[in-house]
Amino acid sequence: MKKFKVLIAEDTIEARDILIEELYKLKENSEYEFDIIECEFPEKAISKLSEANEKNDFYHILFIDIDFTQQSHKGGRRDSGFEIIKKAFSICPISKICTYSGQFKALDLSEEHQELVKKGLVVYTFDKSRKDAGLQDWFDIGIRKILEELEKEYYLFDIFKFNKKIKRKISNSKLPFEIQWEILDNINIILNLMLNLKNITSSYIYYRLIIHLYHSCLISFLRNSKSDEELKRDFEKNKYQAEKLILTSKEFVWQENNSLSIIIAESPLELVRFGFKLNNYRNKSIHPDQSFQPDLFNVIFSAIIFSLYVIQEKKDLEISLIEDYLSKVNYESKGIKDLSELLMFIKS
């Protein structure tokens, strides 16, 4: 049974109970389970979001009212919901943030609400007035759409957690500022690209770009500020063992400004064969090879291997959602085999 963490920010107990009842009805007829947190005033919702951020344990679905004036004695305002939405998105932009309101079309609220929808902060609006009018589908259509999207994107929560740990490690490292900036900027671009995969038809172009960005991050991370002389020395020390681990009959030869040379020089030996595969992905993405059609599994592989290089400890990588996603795949590809091998390595 798949469990989703849900936050309901709503100032009336009656409206919260309606949502909870609908979620429980859905649970009875599906494989879903919901861990529900209720927040009756804005400050509590902001606090719960900050707490989730600290624990690296994010909400999958949020239902947020806009008007909190019934809790004005606790700081609730007419438009408090917008503040909660912005906070939730800044913490975890892959969460499915929904407004739960009967007043989102009001003159003083509609403009900002539409802007949040346009920018992608709000993915769906549950209209309380439809419930009040007795329309039976007021909840079902929206929640099923959201759950369908979550099924396809659930693995992203693991990758988002990787990114948080990478950012913390990189920001606290002794890497030169320009390398830190490059990696952190690329990580943000990658997440935005992955969030937009569902909106495009030529996804393989995005796959190529994402693989290239992860590869660029890895090479900058490994090279650090080392000179060519230092890199060559490390390469010569590691190359024979790397050849055995990669199972290649071709002898590795040092080349300046060569990505593979840097990977062999600076990789922990247990990761070198995976770094070698990422380098192959990148080469075939930048110089298109008809035998290589990048897919989502190549992208997930790239995300995990770069995370391993930076985070270093296998036990610090949560991969359960990625494993769940992979378990539902019913066809074979080189990308699936490579990803499966990497997941087995992490669990070993």
Side-chain angles (χ1 to χ4, degrees):
M1 181 169 284
K2 191 163 288 183
K3 191 171 188 177
F4 292 118
K5 191 175 178 184
V6 178
L7 183 137
I8 299 174
E10 161 60 54
D11 61 352
T12 69
I13 189 170
E14 296 83 6
R16 294 197 302 275
D17 284 347
I18 288 170
L19 264 184
I20 292 169
E21 181 183 349
E22 292 292 342
L23 289 171
Y24 279 149
K25 282 196 297 186
L26 183 63
K27 174 184 172 182
E28 290 172 3
N29 301 306
S30 70
E31 59 178 15
Y32 301 119
E33 188 175 340
F34 302 100
D35 178 12
I36 301 170
I37 301 295
E38 299 179 62
C39 301
E40 65 275 19
F41 56 92
E43 189 176 323
K44 182 177 179 181
I46 298 293
S47 175
K48 289 294 181 182
L49 289 168
S50 298
E51 186 180 304
N53 190 37
E54 286 296 316
K55 293 180 178 178
N56 223 25
D57 183 22
F58 304 99
Y59 292 98
H60 301 106
I61 308 171
L62 299 94
F63 299 96
I64 300 176
D65 190 15
I66 298 174
D67 182 356
F68 279 79
T69 49
Q70 292 205 34
Q71 291 287 337
S72 58
H73 59 293
K74 291 188 175 181
R77 302 186 309 277
R78 170 79 169 157
D79 61 353
S80 287
F82 296 143
E83 178 187 357
I84 301 170
I85 290 167
K86 292 170 185 175
K87 179 70 172 179
F89 188 82
S90 70
I91 286 174
C92 184
I94 59 176
S95 298
K96 300 299 179 185
I97 305 172
C98 312
T99 42
Y100 175 51
S101 170
Q103 301 184 58
F104 65 95
K105 295 179 182 177
L107 288 176
D108 60 331
L109 300 175
S110 64
E111 185 176 348
E112 186 163 5
H113 182 265
Q114 288 174 27
E115 191 65 20
L116 293 176
V117 172
K118 190 187 304 180
K119 290 180 177 178
L121 278 71
V122 172
V123 300
Y124 198 88
T125 297
F126 289 89
D127 188 348
K128 291 179 185 177
S129 66
R130 289 176 62 84
K131 167 65 177 175
D132 295 340
L135 298 174
Q136 297 299 312
D137 65 353
W138 78 277
F139 183 77
D140 287 349
I141 292 174
I143 195 63
R144 293 191 185 281
K145 177 183 176 184
I146 288 162
L147 291 172
E148 183 181 341
E149 285 190 5
L150 276 173
E151 284 283 356
K152 295 176 182 176
E153 301 173 4
Y154 205 29
Y155 67 89
L156 275 175
F157 284 91
D158 277 349
I159 292 177
F160 184 70
K161 290 178 183 180
F162 299 165
N163 287 0
K164 295 279 288 185
K165 291 179 179 179
I166 288 170
K167 289 179 178 181
R168 192 175 297 119
K169 276 268 193 178
I170 294 296
S171 298
N172 294 327
S173 73
K174 294 180 180 179
L175 287 167
F177 172 77
E178 61 272 17
I179 293 179
Q180 290 190 32
W181 182 87
E182 176 195 346
I183 292 173
L184 296 178
D185 192 48
N186 282 350
I187 289 295
N188 289 332
I189 292 170
I190 288 167
L191 184 64
N192 286 330
L193 290 172
M194 294 187 79
L195 283 170
N196 282 296
L197 284 173
K198 63 178 178 291
N199 300 323
I200 60 173
T201 53
S202 301
S203 54
Y204 75 95
I205 297 173
Y206 273 41
Y207 295 150
R208 291 181 191 278
L209 178 55
I210 292 169
I211 289 168
H212 171 66
L213 289 170
Y214 272 125
H215 179 271
S216 178
C217 288
L218 178 60
I219 300 307
S220 294
F221 176 76
L222 292 178
R223 174 148 204 160
N224 198 332
S225 55
K226 289 193 172 184
S227 66
D228 286 335
E229 290 76 15
E230 290 173 304
L231 291 168
K232 184 177 182 181
R233 181 198 63 208
D234 293 343
F235 173 89
E236 295 298 339
K237 182 176 66 175
N238 291 337
K239 74 170 186 176
Y240 296 113
Q241 192 65 25
E243 287 169 0
K244 292 178 183 178
L245 291 168
I246 295 169
L247 301 176
T248 178
S249 58
K250 183 179 178 181
E251 180 182 358
F252 292 134
V253 178
W254 164 257
Q255 298 178 60
E256 287 188 9
N257 299 316
N258 176 267
S259 296
L260 181 56
S261 292
I262 294 171
I263 287 171
I264 291 169
E266 303 305 325
S267 289
L269 284 173
E270 66 174 357
L271 298 183
V272 71
R273 71 185 190 277
F274 298 116
F276 177 81
K277 285 182 179 179
L278 175 55
N279 192 63
N280 274 347
Y281 288 175
R282 182 264 180 190
N283 288 343
K284 292 176 179 178
S285 293
I286 297 301
H287 312 289
D289 182 332
Q290 291 302 316
S291 66
F292 178 72
Q293 292 296 320
D295 58 27
L296 183 58
F297 306 104
N298 301 130
V299 166
I300 296 174
F301 176 97
S302 304
I304 295 175
I305 190 57
F306 178 62
S307 303
L308 264 177
Y309 271 93
V310 176
I311 298 168
Q312 299 177 346
E313 293 291 337
K314 294 191 288 186
K315 63 181 177 58
D316 289 338
L317 289 185
E318 298 178 43
I319 56 171
S320 59
L321 304 184
I322 292 172
E323 287 186 294
D324 179 72
Y325 179 78
L326 192 60
S327 71
K328 293 179 171 57
V329 176
N330 57 8
Y331 68 94
E332 287 294 317
S333 77
K334 185 68 166 59
I336 291 172
K337 291 177 182 177
D338 286 348
L339 179 57
S340 298
E341 180 189 355
L342 180 54
L343 294 177
M344 287 177 63
F345 167 75
I346 292 172
K347 294 170 68 176
S348 65

